[in-house]
Amino acid sequence: MSDTIKTDVLIVGAGPIGLFAVFELGLLDIKAHLVDILDKVGGQCAELYPEKPIYDIPGIPFITGHGLSDALMRQIKPFGPTFHLGEMVTTLEKIGDPLFRVATDRGKVFETKSVVIAAGGGSFQPKPPPINGIEPYENTSVFYAVRKMDAFRDKRLLIVGGGDSADEFRGAPDSVNKMRALVAAGDMDLKIGQVSGLEGGDGQLSACSVKGNDGVATRIEVDTMLPFFGLTMKLGPVADWGLKMEDELIPVDTAAFETSMRGLFAIGDINTYPGKLKLILSGFHEAALMAQKAHRYVYPDKKLVFQYTTSSTNLQKKLGVA
Ligand SMILES: Cc1cc2nc3c(=O)[nH]c(=O)nc-3n(C[C@H](O)[C@H](O)[C@H](O)COP(=O)(O)OP(=O)(O)OC[C@H]3O[C@@H](n4cnc5c(N)ncnc54)[C@H](O)[C@@H]3O)c2cc1C
């Protein structure tokens, strides 16, 4: 286990709301670390609809999911947040009033004055593929995510999923074109059909049968299979942190979006309160009010003076523009 990382605030989830929380906290001199299970920032915007348009971000008539994540990253750059991507927050323990010990599945331990749960709908989980007998191979020769490409170098890979029929793929057109170029160059084979059988032993695959649309099965020798059948969202470990939950959501007050535990906040899609709308703009508002209250825990002796970014030289200095 590594040394404990001490921080003002730990944000669970680097979706759009977790990212904007960095900005609001940063304006108040509060440093943040963020942990996200995904290997990239942006949450649902980046994972579920990177190319789709969003039309209801105030003041921005049109932006894609990916564009919004990028813009938020530029906006929070002056505050130098530390990201811990590809890690899941597994445990959260109250050790003071308020002080928390938070740990990840990769052995990192944080000690933090406040925690902001911005975990959205929870963790993205792979949808199980319709392939009989796949379980014994999972995590040994069948993987549902590519965390490190090097792990697959020189392996015979079978990638499954991505299309409904022979000539329609759900992937971004650019990715589909790249895939077709690899096929044309003889660097990969494309087979339209369904995986109908697996061969191997002791968790190691040796071959797969692929039944084509013509009903004919082909045997393909493989070392590794990567099935991609989409993602669903599961709440995950958040449910085990001793918080009161309502329908897998965390009830909060609407003055500071604090939970029943002092110093533990929940903002964005993960929270619930009367009138809650699961919109990005609601989460941004929640982040601003959360930061005001977090300031009390981080700097109990300092008075907070309300300031506008337009007119405060102090805030502009923090943003690196004055
Ligand atoms: C197809 C689609 C279209 C949409 N269009 C719009 C729109 O037009 N306008 C709009 O306002 N909203 C839209 N939304 C909703 C919007 O995307 C959500 O409101 C927003 O993403 C919520 O942000 P969040 O940061 O709260 O959560 P999320 O975006 O869900 O991010 C949460 C992050 O937390 C991480 N996480 C969860 N549990 C843990 C854990 N234990 N440890 C570490 N990390 C964890 C997840 O991996 C995830 O990255 C749309 C949603 C979808 C699916």
Side-chain angles (χ1 to χ4, degrees):
M1 195 175 279
S2 52
D3 291 341
T4 301
I5 302 168
K6 296 202 174 175
T7 178
D8 292 337
V9 169
L10 181 90
I11 302 175
V12 184
I17 311 310
L19 294 180
F20 192 65
V22 172
F23 183 83
E24 290 295 333
L25 291 164
L27 287 180
L28 308 185
D29 294 321
I30 301 174
K31 286 268 171 228
H33 281 244
L34 299 96
V35 182
D36 203 299
I37 304 163
L38 299 177
D39 59 2
K40 55 177 170 290
V41 302
Q44 294 174 46
C45 300
E47 188 70 14
L48 299 181
Y49 58 102
E51 306 294 327
K52 283 203 175 123
I54 310 171
Y55 297 104
D56 57 354
I57 303 298
I60 304 176
F62 162 89
I63 192 161
T64 61
H66 180 68
L68 180 65
S69 311
D70 271 2
L72 285 165
M73 286 299 280
R74 286 198 300 279
Q75 193 169 19
I76 65 176
K77 197 163 179 245
F79 302 116
T82 310
F83 290 94
H84 306 265
L85 299 178
E87 295 191 44
M88 176 160 69
V89 171
T90 45
T91 60
L92 182 149
E93 196 189 338
K94 194 168 192 285
I95 54 170
D97 191 27
L99 192 66
F100 298 88
R101 186 176 296 125
V102 177
T104 74
D105 61 347
R106 298 198 37 198
K108 275 188 199 150
V109 179
F110 299 86
E111 210 172 277
T112 177
K113 293 170 190 160
S114 282
V115 175
V116 176
I117 305 176
S123 49
F124 298 90
Q125 307 270 341
K127 285 188 187 158
I131 302 172
N132 285 336
I134 197 168
E135 294 80 8
Y137 301 106
E138 286 174 341
N139 301 318
T140 46
S141 53
V142 169
F143 301 93
Y144 296 110
V146 177
R147 291 264 160 88
K148 283 207 174 104
M149 275 204 272
D150 249 7
F152 303 120
R153 195 174 296 285
D154 300 327
K155 294 264 164 77
R156 294 169 302 172
L157 280 182
L158 180 67
I159 301 170
V160 191
D164 302 324
S165 68
D167 43 33
E168 265 181 47
F169 288 92
R170 285 190 296 268
D174 183 48
S175 310
V176 174
N177 289 341
K178 281 186 188 146
M179 185 267 299
R180 290 205 187 278
L182 287 171
V183 173
D187 291 332
M188 77 176 264
D189 294 322
L190 171 64
K191 182 103 189 119
I192 307 298
Q194 285 185 344
V195 175
S196 52
L198 304 175
E199 288 174 37
D202 295 330
Q204 180 54 58
L205 271 182
S206 54
C208 298
S209 301
V210 177
K211 198 168 171 190
N213 289 352
D214 52 6
V216 178
T218 313
R219 185 174 177 276
I220 303 173
E221 295 195 346
V222 297
D223 306 306
T224 304
M225 181 160 71
L226 304 172
F228 297 122
F229 284 80
L231 297 165
T232 67
M233 292 182 87
K234 291 221 174 76
L235 185 60
V238 178
D240 307 325
W241 297 343
L243 285 162
K244 195 178 140 211
M245 307 286 296
E246 274 174 25
D247 292 333
E248 303 216 313
L249 298 167
I250 305 173
V252 286
D253 69 61
T254 49
F257 303 95
E258 197 168 18
T259 66
S260 50
M261 225 182 266
R262 255 166 65 88
L264 183 56
F265 299 87
I267 58 175
D269 277 14
I270 190 83
N271 75 13
T272 182
Y273 52 84
K276 167 76 184 181
L277 285 179
K278 284 190 183 182
L279 282 177
I280 295 165
L281 66 87
S282 315
F284 287 173
H285 159 80
E286 294 161 16
L289 268 64
M290 169 281 295
Q292 300 281 313
K293 183 83 180 268
H295 184 270
R296 281 199 223 163
Y297 299 130
V298 177
Y299 299 111
D301 303 325
K302 271 197 203 167
K303 194 169 177 289
L304 187 57
V305 181
F306 177 76
Q307 301 171 79
Y308 288 125
T309 54
T310 321
S311 43
S312 160
T313 323
N314 174 32
L315 293 185
Q316 288 169 3
K317 276 192 187 139
K318 293 178 197 179
L319 291 166
V321 291

